[in-house]
Amino acid sequence: MECEQRLNWLILAMICPLIAGAPSSMSKRHGSCPDENLNIDGGSFALSNNYSDGSFLRYICPDGYYPSVQSRLCQYGLWTPKTSARKPPKCQKVTCPNPRVLENGEVTPYKNRYYVNDTTTYSCHYDYKFRGTAVRVCKPNGKWNGTTPICGRDSDHCPDPGVPPGSSRTGHRFNIDNKVTYRCDSTLTLIGSKERVCQDGGQWSGTEPQCYAHFTYDTPEEVSEAFSSALKSNLAVSRGDQQGKKITLDQGGKLDIYIAVDASNSIDKDNFYKAKHTVKLLIEKISYYEVSPNYEILMFATDVHPIITMKNFKSIRDKDKITKVFEDLDNFKYEDKGDRTGTNIAKLYSYIHESMKIEESINAMSFLETQHIIIVFTDGQANMGGNPIPKVNKIKYHITKNDPKREKKLDLYVFGVGKDVNKYDVNGLVSLRDREKYFFMLPDLDKVQETFDHMLDESTSVELCGIHQDYDDDNKRRAFPWLAQINVVRSSHSSRCMGSLVTSTYILTAAQCFKNGDTADKITVLLEKNLKVLKVKKYILHPKYNNTAKQHMKIKEYFEFDVALIKLEKALTMSANLRPICIPCTKETNGALRLSDSEGTCRKHEELLMSNELVDAFFTSNMEIGTDVPRKIRHITIKRGKYRDACVEDAKKAVGVNVTNARDVVTDNFLCSGGNEPQTDDVACKGESGGATYINKKGRLIQVGVVSWGVKDICTRRNPDPVSQAATRDYHTNLFSADILSFLKDHLGNDYIGNPLTFF
Ligand SMILES: *[C@@H]1O[C@H](CO)[C@@H](O)[C@H](O)[C@H]1NC(C)=O
Ligand SMILES: *[C@@H]1O[C@H](CO)[C@@H](O)[C@H](O)[C@H]1NC(C)=O
Ligand SMILES: *[C@@H]1O[C@H](CO)[C@@H](O)[C@H](O)[C@H]1NC(C)=O
Ligand SMILES: *[C@@H]1O[C@H](CO)[C@@H](O)[C@H](O)[C@H]1NC(C)=O
Ligand SMILES: *[C@@H]1O[C@H](CO)[C@@H](O)[C@H](O)[C@H]1NC(C)=O
């Protein structure tokens, strides 16, 4: 039946009866649907393809409302489902599930329905103890904020598990092996565990159920919190000292992640590319952690189409496997999706199971030790291939071998994306344990992406170095969370320099910012917007820095080893707006470069970052007055190989330099940028010395130099951001120099106030 092939289940149910009996003349009529009677009371609508055949109409309601009819489809010249002109669709008020299910307590106010922004308060009868949130507000996504209020006596082995709003519970005894079961009101769907058992340890099995209406969604904040806390337990490498209740991967532990994206019919081209981007974003976020997982990436519709299988991923010899995966993803086009008329979720899980069997056959021991994670994004409903739950159960059995201790070796997540997700069925495809959530409902892929962005603001990731968020939003600070401006006040000739936060107590800058006799109290550091003046404990110059060392050689000022560290009195607390930049030749930067511990060497870092003859790099201008953001990102190319000599040679043209050999001024301890061959670089202005010269490696910023000095200052007040002329070169202290590295290691490797870096 054509309609069965072309539509997913829900729409099918609505439309098939109409089409099946439609006269044949009608089914031939292609073209446009009428533009009448489409309006919705109190809302608006959007069309995917104007009034043409196949166009989707989506109703949009303001926050706190949902459309009585979610969407319509232009098919054979008609909009389906039909709506009557006299009773048009309308935006209805979102309600929250009934909170009056609280046992042994009072809920005020007492109402039949609770709408968005309604506030309820909870209290317990005499002799009962209160747990949960005492004042809850109904949110626009159809959920109460906070946690379920519970009035319990806590006299049994397990605590009273409560009755979540909208549900009812059977079972009132809470001792070992006692069972409670839940149901949701008839119009609501139960997400989480229908049944929970009181266990030895005094905890309930499974996850707390929640009752979702068809308009209930999770917000990106809710999802990122729940997802990252669940996922994080697998991504944080156990260091022995932070063994929490969750298992963490042992150092060098293996992690296989399967990611599958629904590419069925209802995903249009735009959303398809968004889905690919979402997968990349997820892999990128995971790469910020210290683990190097293996991936299998699948697109599925009627069939399963692998982007990369676990076996192939593991066989890639290339060190930069992720880049290869991203290339494969990029190369996978919308047109390649093949038959996408069905949504065969069962086949997907069978496919993953087969991959797992192959992995096991290759190395059974290692398979046993591997942590397996399956993350599925689906917008539709299984309309073919049968019930997927038995397939999932097979995977569960295969991994856990019915040993409860092995339960944690498998994590099953589903992101239900879109308006038509069959919540009830999908609930069976996820892990239910640990009081963590494994099923998430989001209205669209944009919200999924937002979720992954939020994931990074989590407390555990803020100490990761060099994280760069490049999207346009109001918070530009996030793009440069390490950026510092330094002022040294003197009776005459105060200095202004730039610097970079490299650990929670140290700022790296240029030695030339300081003069003999400067004291710590004369130094101010501006880091985060509105941050009070930071107290400086001391500054430390590179021991070999000597500005006058070569005056006898007609070099008025000499800048070799032009680096210094500012040590703060107190360690800063990192946040999304305050993070260190990455320093090469450290274990911390290994993570940013996606190298495993064994691959990470200083030479490897240099090779990955600096192997080209022209290296794309950046530094920033000084900050806009009164703000914490740079006026401009300066784009440069570091000249190496055959380009370096000409770049160094121009040093002879600097004022105060009169040498025959430019290498007397610019030693190998400098990097060289500027000029207009083969492309025109930006140049540094006064006040920008000490700033980080960095390379952007897939969203992570790694400092490779410190801006030191230039041949000529061509910046003027009229043109504060000039581009380079042929000979306006800038020289940067090279962080890869042995003398510079050993200086950094001596101090940053021993930062016991903050968090020391681990140098190789
Ligand atoms: C919809 O119609 C408008 C004007 O008639 C046209 O400019 C636009 O390209 C059409 N959009 C699509 C997706 O066909
Ligand atoms: C709920 O309250 C917020 C803040 O006061 C307001 O912006 C929003 O419009 C309200 N929503 C509804 C549906 O009343
Ligand atoms: C619930 O929302 C209200 C209003 O936004 C807020 O005052 C309260 O702190 C929230 N409670 C929790 C536990 O988040
Ligand atoms: C810097 O170099 C000059 C010339 O070699 C020397 O006289 C002076 O003592 C040096 N200064 C320091 C602080 O080492
Ligand atoms: C550079 O030094 C040479 C020889 O020491 C001298 O003749 C020349 O005038 C100097 N040039 C400048 C610009 O000082």
Side-chain angles (χ1 to χ4, degrees):
M1 193 162 102
E2 191 191 0
C3 100
E4 209 162 59
Q5 283 167 7
R6 296 207 45 190
L7 298 165
N8 75 24
W9 186 88
L10 186 78
I11 303 165
L12 189 81
M14 296 190 298
I15 304 170
C16 268
L18 296 172
I19 297 176
S24 62
S25 65
M26 225 170 125
S27 60
K28 284 205 190 77
R29 226 186 82 195
H30 280 261
S32 55
C33 287
D35 60 359
E36 296 129 31
N37 297 336
L38 292 178
N39 289 338
I40 181 166
D41 256 7
S44 59
F45 61 85
L47 296 165
S48 71
N49 194 12
N50 284 344
Y51 299 95
S52 333
D53 214 40
S55 183
F56 256 108
L57 180 151
R58 207 163 51 77
Y59 284 117
I60 300 159
C61 289
D63 240 22
Y65 293 81
Y66 68 95
S68 57
V69 176
Q70 260 163 23
S71 61
R72 302 171 74 182
L73 181 67
C74 174
Q75 274 264 305
Y76 308 105
L78 289 174
W79 287 107
T80 49
K82 270 186 182 161
T83 57
S84 117
R86 271 177 299 136
K87 257 189 85 188
K90 69 181 208 204
C91 287
Q92 289 168 320
K93 278 170 119 172
V94 164
T95 55
C96 276
N98 181 7
R100 291 182 282 103
V101 297
L102 176 75
E103 293 185 342
N104 311 312
E106 298 290 341
V107 183
T108 51
Y110 187 102
K111 288 172 65 175
N112 270 329
R113 277 168 198 276
Y114 296 86
Y115 298 108
V116 174
N117 287 346
D118 279 356
T119 301
T120 43
T121 52
Y122 305 83
S123 58
C124 291
H125 295 155
Y126 178 73
D127 221 16
Y128 286 86
K129 268 222 303 270
F130 185 83
R131 271 185 294 132
T133 302
V135 180
R136 302 186 92 182
V137 178
C138 176
K139 297 195 296 180
N141 63 344
K143 296 206 237 176
W144 294 100
N145 78 348
T147 57
T148 304
I150 298 168
C151 295
R153 276 199 215 273
D154 294 346
S155 51
D156 290 355
H157 186 73
C158 282
D160 189 323
V163 186
S167 75
S168 57
R169 187 187 72 203
T170 57
H172 288 88
R173 311 231 324 260
F174 313 134
N175 287 312
I176 296 181
D177 290 338
N178 282 159
K179 215 185 266 178
V180 291
T181 55
Y182 291 92
R183 286 182 47 201
C184 286
D185 294 351
S186 62
T187 54
L188 306 177
T189 305
L190 186 144
I191 303 293
S193 300
K194 217 182 322 188
E195 185 179 290
R196 305 184 81 183
V197 179
C198 173
Q199 297 170 314
D200 300 0
Q203 285 181 353
W204 291 97
S205 66
T207 58
E208 184 182 278
Q210 292 187 55
C211 296
Y212 277 42
H214 68 86
F215 49 78
T216 307
Y217 288 98
D218 299 323
T219 62
E221 291 81 4
E222 286 168 348
V223 180
S224 66
E225 203 185 317
F227 181 57
S228 63
S229 84
L231 191 65
K232 235 160 28 197
S233 57
N234 287 315
L235 298 177
V237 173
S238 148
R239 288 224 180 78
D241 55 341
Q242 49 188 30
Q243 224 100 43
K245 52 187 182 302
K246 294 173 193 156
I247 56 153
T248 48
L249 212 59
D250 293 326
Q251 203 127 26
K254 297 165 195 73
L255 180 61
D256 287 358
I257 302 181
Y258 299 80
I259 300 176
V261 179
D262 187 338
S264 61
N265 210 14
S266 39
I267 304 245
D268 61 20
K269 203 162 178 164
D270 255 17
N271 273 311
F272 176 74
Y273 287 104
K274 255 185 215 163
K276 291 208 305 182
H277 181 73
T278 304
V279 172
K280 283 191 184 171
L281 200 60
L282 176 62
I283 295 177
E284 220 167 278
K285 301 286 150 171
I286 292 175
S287 76
Y288 292 158
Y289 296 85
E290 286 179 39
V291 291
S292 322
N294 303 299
Y295 288 100
E296 172 160 301
I297 298 169
L298 307 167
M299 297 275 171
F300 70 99
T302 306
D303 279 308
V304 178
H305 186 109
I307 305 283
I308 187 146
T309 63
M310 195 53 78
K311 182 162 174 268
N312 287 346
F313 183 89
K314 290 184 182 175
S315 69
I316 300 175
R317 290 268 163 262
D318 190 349
K319 291 286 188 225
D320 205 353
K321 295 176 172 208
I322 300 293
T323 309
K324 172 80 174 63
V325 171
F326 282 9
E327 274 167 26
D328 289 347
L329 262 170
D330 287 339
N331 291 337
F332 188 68
K333 297 282 181 296
Y334 186 67
E335 294 70 28
D336 302 340
K337 293 199 311 178
D339 182 4
R340 51 200 155 80
T341 52
T343 303
N344 197 337
I345 299 181
K347 195 166 188 174
L348 168 73
Y349 283 102
S350 293
Y351 191 101
I352 292 173
H353 192 195
E354 290 307 313
S355 283
M356 287 178 164
K357 285 184 195 160
I358 294 171
E359 287 310 302
E360 189 175 33
S361 74
I362 294 170
N363 188 341
M365 258 327 275
S366 134
F367 184 79
L368 211 59
E369 290 163 6
T370 301
Q371 176 74 25
H372 309 267
I373 298 180
I374 302 176
I375 303 170
V376 176
F377 298 90
T378 177
D379 81 312
Q381 320 207 357
N383 64 353
M384 60 187 295
N387 187 348
I389 291 174
K391 311 283 183 199
V392 171
N393 289 339
K394 273 192 185 168
I395 294 177
K396 282 184 184 167
Y397 179 73
H398 194 126
I399 303 295
T400 64
K401 324 268 189 220
N402 265 4
D403 175 358
K405 282 208 253 10
R406 288 193 50 79
E407 205 185 39
K408 293 181 172 174
K409 286 282 175 195
L410 176 68
D411 280 311
L412 295 155
Y413 300 96
V414 174
F415 284 81
V417 185
K419 307 272 182 192
D420 299 337
V421 179
N422 181 341
K423 298 182 176 88
Y424 184 78
D425 280 355
V426 167
N427 194 38
L429 306 177
V430 300
S431 306
L432 292 172
R433 58 174 159 79
D434 261 348
R435 284 165 293 147
E436 280 166 10
K437 243 191 109 179
Y438 291 84
F439 172 55
F440 307 106
M441 271 299 302
L442 287 155
D444 52 50
L445 282 165
D446 290 331
K447 288 280 184 286
V448 178
Q449 294 184 8
E450 222 178 285
T451 296
F452 294 155
D453 282 336
H454 278 294
M455 265 173 64
L456 258 193
D457 290 346
E458 288 282 302
S459 53
T460 57
S461 55
V462 292
E463 278 165 22
L464 294 173
C465 67
I467 284 176
H468 176 63
Q469 288 186 345
D470 198 13
Y471 44 79
D472 256 346
D473 68 14
D474 297 338
N475 189 352
K476 291 213 179 61
R477 177 71 202 177
R478 269 186 208 176
F480 307 100
W482 36 266
L483 195 66
Q485 187 155 305
I486 297 149
N487 295 295
V488 186
V489 183
R490 304 185 191 98
S491 48
S492 65
H493 299 294
S494 296
S495 308
R496 253 171 90 141
C497 282
M498 299 301 289
S500 54
L501 188 67
V502 288
T503 73
S504 55
T505 37
Y506 279 103
I507 288 150
L508 177 58
T509 183
Q512 59 171 296
C513 304
F514 305 99
K515 287 202 163 67
N516 248 343
D518 284 344
T519 49
D521 58 310
K522 296 286 186 277
I523 303 166
T524 58
V525 175
L526 177 70
L527 263 172
E528 212 183 350
K529 201 173 188 167
N530 304 331
L531 204 73
K532 283 191 221 75
V533 174
L534 289 171
K535 274 219 166 130
V536 171
K537 191 172 173 69
K538 61 175 177 181
Y539 64 95
I540 310 151
L541 305 183
H542 192 286
K544 289 191 175 175
Y545 174 73
N546 181 348
N547 193 253
T548 58
K550 289 195 174 174
Q551 280 185 346
H552 63 283
M553 294 169 73
K554 300 199 175 136
I555 299 167
K556 194 167 169 239
E557 284 192 283
Y558 185 57
F559 293 107
E560 196 176 31
F561 310 115
D562 183 14
V563 289
L565 287 164
I566 293 175
K567 186 175 188 176
L568 301 172
E569 285 263 326
K570 277 199 213 131
L572 298 164
T573 305
M574 299 297 174
S575 71
N577 298 327
L578 199 61
R579 279 187 229 263
I581 194 166
C582 296
I583 295 294
C585 306
T586 62
K587 193 163 160 282
E588 289 74 10
T589 299
N590 249 5
L593 293 171
R594 287 163 203 158
L595 295 172
S596 66
D597 278 357
S598 57
E599 289 168 321
T601 60
C602 202
R603 174 186 287 202
K604 183 77 203 171
H605 285 191
E606 192 167 7
E607 195 181 299
L608 280 174
L609 294 166
M610 305 287 288
S611 58
N612 295 341
E613 295 201 313
L614 293 168
V615 179
D616 261 320
F618 307 86
F619 60 93
T620 69
S621 71
N622 48 20
M623 294 195 214
E624 254 170 82
I625 309 262
T627 74
D628 56 347
V629 296
R631 280 189 289 99
K632 191 164 182 273
I633 299 166
R634 304 218 191 269
H635 187 182
I636 57 170
T637 48
I638 296 169
K639 273 76 180 169
R640 302 179 67 259
K642 64 172 179 283
Y643 296 101
R644 182 174 163 93
D645 282 351
C647 193
V648 171
E649 198 63 19
D650 285 330
K652 287 187 193 167
K653 296 173 185 155
V655 180
V657 171
N658 187 358
V659 290
T660 45
N661 186 357
R663 269 147 220 84
D664 287 343
V665 205
V666 182
T667 64
D668 286 346
N669 292 323
F670 286 101
L671 302 170
C672 186
S673 72
N676 49 19
E677 283 294 330
Q679 63 226 43
T680 304
D681 280 2
D682 290 327
V683 290
C685 299
K686 218 178 159 66
E688 289 169 15
S689 297
T693 308
Y694 62 85
I695 290 173
N696 184 340
K697 201 80 182 161
K698 298 185 205 95
R700 299 290 288 270
L701 306 187
I702 298 152
Q703 182 163 5
V704 295
V706 177
V707 177
S708 180
W709 65 288
V711 172
K712 196 175 170 197
D713 187 3
I714 54 172
C715 310
T716 59
R717 194 189 289 197
R718 280 235 306 323
N719 184 9
D721 300 311
V723 296
S724 189
Q725 300 156 3
T728 47
R729 310 288 191 168
D730 285 327
Y731 304 105
H732 315 249
T733 306
N734 185 357
L735 293 199
F736 282 104
S737 300
D739 274 321
I740 305 295
L741 270 177
S742 72
F743 169 72
L744 296 178
K745 187 174 178 174
D746 281 352
H747 299 282
L748 305 180
N750 296 304
D751 174 10
Y752 294 116
I753 302 181
N755 47 337
L757 294 177
T758 313
F759 283 83
F760 298 141

